Amino acid sequence: MANHKNCPNPFQIFPFMTKKANLYYITTASVLCAIFYLLGNWQHSGGGVASAISSSGFSRFPCTIANAIPSSSPRNAASSAFASSANVVLDFEAHHRAEDLIPTEAATAQDLHFPPCDPKFSEYTPCEDVQRSLRFDRERLVYRERHCPEKRERLKCRIPAPHGYRLPFPWPESRDKAWFANVPHKELTVEKKKQNWVRFEGDRFIFPGGGTMFSNGADAYIDDIGKMIDLRGGSIRTAIDTGCGVASWGAYLLSRDILTVSFAPRDTHEAQVQFALERGVPALIGVLASKRLPYPSRAFDMAHCSRCLIPWGQYDGAYLIEVDRVLRPGGYWILSGPPINWEKHWKGWDRKEEDLKAEQDAIESIARSLCWKKLKQKGDIAIWQKPTNHVHCKKNRKVFKFPPFCPAQDPDKAWYTQMDTCLTALPEVSDIKDIAGGELAKWPQRLTAVPPRIASGSVGVTAETFKENTDLWRSRVSYYKSLDHQLAQKGRYRNLLDMNANLGGFAAALVDDPVWVMNVVPVEATTNTLGVIYERGLIGTYQSWCEAVSTYPRTYDFIHADSVFTLYSERCDMDDILLEMDRILRPEGGIIFRDDVDILEKIKRMTDAMQYESRIIDHEKGPHEREKILLAYKQYWTAPAPTEGTDTAS
């Protein structure tokens, strides 16, 4: 450090060094430029370099577009480029035509077209088509079961609403009336006139609440049942009505917080399920025939038949055995109508006394063989109860050798599954007082209590996951309502469908709204959660979305499709699913799709072609999520008036 004063100052010498370097570079650059200029002139004059190239052998490989030697090596590439620069005339003409290009999705979307169907299809039910059903066996009503069209038979058009269609009355007004234009069938008003099912008045139908076995009205009939079993304590929440008529029993149970799935076949009683749906009551087309009902085991707290014309004593008791499968431990079966109280009614039923007695004896015998206990028979109503476990039942197989217990099987498998004539065993218990499968909480606590199937670990979902899922869907439904004002408006929607319900969180979040939700668990789902949904006090069904639903057109006001198209991306065609959704959605109804953004873009192109109003919205967590939401609204359009020649759809 002491000698630092003797060191030269770099800032003093840099100016000199910089000037000297600049002069050197300028001189060198000038000399090189002059040399290359002279070489260029010499080459173009035909001397020296050009002659050397010509005599080197490169001329043996003419560099044309047709004969250029392809090579990935740098040396060959450089040689080819150098040679071609002197001999090739560049071609700037176009060598590709528009018709040679592979169509993009954006281009093909312009060709999407989903025209209106012929008005004759306004009540088309693809899997219960009357004409197709005639091909199948009438034994055990097999022809009334699901028989779906083959791929080549599927309609590629949009089902029209009948001319004059109007939005249904809001609930609860809809329970008692429906527009004639929506279900233009007067047959039941004539056929069931004395039984007070339905009346026609002006431009609408009136439903007085009557039925074949409850001439004083469904309310009074249900009160009679309530005197025999407790309907208001919360232990009975889910019910099934077999052969439901216009579903007045289910309609009037709603005021008692009991949710009923009503079903009936599409038969000579024209439009009975359609009437139920117009009333805002849960219903499906269905029949007890040769296949299991599309519900899990231990689903319903109560089953009901009021003169449903089901031959309970035939086919080795198969139909009562199926009811036993879907009844929860301790559940009730209620029967009214023939043969109950035959001693009083046999003349009015135009039946022989001995036949009716034999019919009731057969039912009583089958019920005993199922270990059911007959609780009461009062007037025209009889009630049996299923045992809470099978401890005693397994012991008495020494007496009742038929039906035997089923071998190991999945009791919840119920999609095109053949009906059994063996008894579905209840889960094992450690004590004779225990309830097989676990005790259910009473309604409404049942909705959020951990379902027994989850508590036992039988579905692979933890209690913590269940609670998180419940909270998640509360927040998601809140977000949906901020986007869809119709969903937020109480009374605007009534019949809702969740196409991929999982644990039923969507429906649970709407429980305080005046709606009901049909929760579908796709048969292709990795986990069968429909039993969990029923244990929560909700309702649902199995379904494959590669096929049509067993319901009439215009069943639902709103459809929720969470990851449905991801699930079916390699299973069936997107347009078939969307056309089915359009068939079962009412005019001016809404759909919320939740899926990957790329899938939603494809769906939007199709729904736009189907004349929906739609928009894609960010996930509730923000724009960086790939999962987005697509809101779609079906426009109002109908078939033309009979005298018109064109459809009112644009």
Side-chain angles (χ1 to χ4, degrees):
M1 295 295 291
N3 297 326
H4 71 279
K5 291 183 179 180
N6 298 327
C7 296
N9 187 341
F11 294 100
Q12 293 176 349
I13 66 173
F14 277 173
F16 170 75
M17 294 174 64
T18 302
K19 291 177 182 178
K20 186 176 181 179
N22 287 343
L23 180 62
Y24 172 77
Y25 293 143
I26 292 171
T27 302
T28 303
S30 300
V31 172
L32 289 173
C33 286
I35 291 172
F36 286 118
Y37 177 74
L38 293 173
L39 284 173
N41 284 336
W42 186 25
Q43 179 178 348
H44 285 290
S45 67
V49 175
S51 299
I53 294 174
S54 180
S55 63
S56 67
F58 282 97
S59 59
R60 290 178 299 178
F61 302 99
C63 250
T64 64
I65 294 296
N67 298 319
I69 300 174
S71 174
S72 58
S73 70
R75 179 179 178 180
N76 288 346
S79 299
S80 177
F82 180 68
S84 64
S85 65
N87 298 293
V88 176
V89 177
L90 296 179
D91 180 8
F92 293 101
E93 295 298 321
H95 291 277
H96 299 284
R97 299 169 299 171
E99 53 267 33
D100 296 330
L101 300 176
I102 298 173
T104 63
E105 289 179 0
T108 56
Q110 298 175 1
D111 301 327
L112 291 172
H113 184 51
F114 302 100
C117 299
D118 189 286
K120 69 181 181 181
F121 291 107
S122 67
E123 294 179 358
Y124 181 56
T125 53
C127 296
E128 289 83 15
D129 181 65
V130 174
Q131 294 303 314
R132 187 181 301 104
S133 71
L134 299 178
R135 308 175 195 170
F136 298 93
D137 193 356
R138 289 178 174 263
E139 177 67 18
R140 288 185 62 170
L141 299 179
V142 167
Y143 76 112
R144 299 279 192 204
E145 294 183 315
R146 286 175 58 87
H147 301 290
C148 299
E150 296 179 12
K151 189 175 181 65
R152 60 182 174 79
E153 298 178 294
R154 293 175 184 170
L155 298 180
K156 293 292 185 179
C157 52
R158 295 173 291 136
I159 301 296
H163 180 73
Y165 180 88
R166 302 169 68 172
L167 289 181
F169 292 97
W171 183 266
E173 189 179 1
S174 65
R175 187 192 70 177
D176 302 326
K177 59 185 73 171
W179 298 112
F180 169 74
N182 294 7
V183 192
H185 296 284
K186 296 182 182 178
E187 293 90 339
L188 285 179
T189 65
V190 177
E191 184 179 346
K192 301 294 183 180
K193 183 177 181 180
K194 294 182 179 179
Q195 297 168 13
N196 221 17
W197 279 28
V198 56
R199 298 196 308 266
F200 175 66
E201 295 181 3
D203 59 355
R204 66 197 64 185
F205 292 108
I206 303 297
F207 301 93
T212 306
M213 293 308 301
F214 33 96
S215 56
N216 294 326
D219 237 359
Y221 173 77
I222 292 169
D223 283 341
D224 288 341
I225 295 173
K227 295 171 184 175
M228 303 166 74
I229 57 175
D230 183 12
L231 296 178
R232 294 189 180 273
S235 60
I236 297 177
R237 165 63 180 173
T238 58
I240 184 168
D241 191 9
T242 57
C244 63
V246 294
S248 288
W249 190 72
Y252 282 84
L253 278 173
L254 286 165
S255 63
R256 295 159 173 86
D257 267 343
I258 297 175
L259 198 54
T260 305
V261 176
S262 300
F263 77 83
R266 183 163 187 175
D267 58 11
T268 54
H269 291 161
E270 188 69 50
Q272 53 186 331
V273 167
Q274 195 173 13
F275 276 129
L277 294 164
E278 281 295 310
R279 299 176 72 183
V281 180
L284 289 166
I285 299 172
V287 64
L288 272 168
S290 69
K291 302 292 193 299
R292 283 181 172 180
L293 297 173
Y295 315 110
S297 64
R298 298 180 281 131
F300 298 100
D301 304 315
M302 178 168 60
H304 175 255
C305 162
S306 175
R307 200 169 186 176
C308 59
L309 305 180
I310 295 172
W312 299 111
Q314 297 180 25
Y315 311 117
D316 296 324
Y319 299 147
L320 276 178
I321 290 172
E322 176 62 3
V323 170
D324 179 84
R325 184 185 71 86
V326 300
L327 268 183
R328 71 163 172 84
Y332 302 98
W333 183 57
I334 302 169
L335 176 65
S336 65
I340 303 302
N341 205 10
W342 59 267
E343 299 91 344
K344 178 180 178 181
H345 297 293
W346 67 274
K347 288 184 179 180
W349 292 337
D350 196 21
R351 297 274 304 276
K352 294 181 179 179
E353 291 180 274
E354 55 270 28
D355 291 344
L356 287 165
K357 182 180 184 305
E359 185 178 332
Q360 179 153 353
D361 288 345
I363 292 173
E364 301 271 12
S365 176
I366 295 168
R368 283 193 300 271
S369 73
L370 299 175
C371 305
W372 291 4
K373 178 183 178 182
K374 188 174 184 180
L375 293 182
K376 290 182 182 179
Q377 178 174 327
K378 185 176 181 181
D380 298 335
I381 301 171
I383 301 179
W384 285 262
Q385 185 175 25
K386 179 178 176 176
T388 56
N389 59 60
H390 274 161
V391 173
H392 281 310
C393 200
K394 288 181 178 179
K395 292 178 179 178
N396 74 16
R397 286 307 90 178
K398 296 177 182 178
V399 177
F400 295 100
K401 299 187 182 298
F402 190 88
F405 278 99
C406 297
Q409 57 156 322
D410 182 359
D412 293 345
K413 186 178 180 182
W415 185 248
Y416 293 113
T417 305
Q418 201 68 23
M419 198 178 286
D420 291 314
T421 52
C422 57
L423 184 56
T424 300
L426 290 172
E428 296 291 338
V429 295
S430 56
D431 188 274
I432 197 170
K433 296 181 180 179
D434 290 344
I435 296 176
E439 185 174 4
L440 294 172
K442 292 185 177 182
W443 184 262
Q445 292 77 19
R446 180 171 165 179
L447 182 69
T448 53
V450 177
R453 276 176 166 91
I454 289 179
S456 66
S458 61
V459 294
V461 177
T462 66
E464 183 179 0
T465 300
F466 170 75
K467 292 175 182 177
E468 290 173 352
N469 183 267
T470 300
D471 293 338
L472 173 67
W473 279 104
R474 280 199 197 102
S475 64
R476 284 183 170 180
V477 168
S478 178
Y479 182 60
Y480 286 169
K481 288 183 176 181
S482 72
L483 305 174
D484 183 354
H485 70 277
Q486 294 191 141
L487 182 62
Q489 179 186 346
K490 290 191 176 183
R492 172 61 184 86
Y493 293 149
R494 173 62 183 170
N495 303 359
L496 276 62
L497 172 70
D498 192 354
M499 294 176 68
N500 188 15
N502 192 17
L503 300 176
F506 173 77
L510 290 165
V511 72
D512 293 326
D513 290 1
V515 302
W516 59 268
V517 180
M518 185 61 71
N519 294 280
V520 168
V521 172
V523 293
E524 297 86 354
T526 55
T527 305
N528 183 354
T529 55
L530 192 54
V532 170
I533 288 169
Y534 273 96
E535 287 181 342
R536 299 188 73 174
L538 305 171
I539 58 172
T541 185
Y542 294 117
Q543 175 69 34
S544 170
W545 290 112
C546 293
E547 299 180 2
V549 189
S550 291
T551 193
Y552 283 86
R554 302 170 298 281
T555 288
Y556 296 104
D557 303 296
F558 177 90
I559 298 175
H560 180 238
D562 177 15
S563 304
V564 170
F565 291 86
T566 291
L567 178 63
Y568 285 92
S569 61
E570 297 181 359
R571 290 186 166 97
C572 44
D573 294 340
M574 180 180 287
D575 59 344
D576 285 337
I577 300 176
L578 288 171
L579 283 169
E580 175 61 6
M581 294 171 70
D582 180 76
R583 183 185 76 88
I584 62 178
L585 184 66
R586 289 174 174 166
E588 300 187 6
I591 307 175
I592 288 183
F593 300 90
R594 173 184 285 268
D595 224 311
D596 183 85
V597 63
D598 290 343
I599 290 177
L600 293 185
E601 288 285 357
K602 296 177 184 177
I603 293 172
K604 189 177 189 308
R605 284 192 286 273
M606 289 190 179
T607 54
D608 287 350
M610 295 166 71
Q611 299 179 310
Y612 279 63
E613 297 176 6
S614 63
R615 58 192 173 110
I616 294 178
I617 300 167
D618 285 330
H619 190 279
E620 58 268 10
K621 290 184 179 179
H624 300 299
E625 299 287 331
R626 280 199 61 83
E627 185 177 83
K628 306 288 183 186
I629 293 166
L630 172 62
L631 292 183
Y633 300 98
K634 183 176 180 177
Q635 294 184 23
Y636 176 87
W637 66 279
T638 72
T643 56
E644 295 176 359
T646 58
D647 204 308
T648 57
S650 57

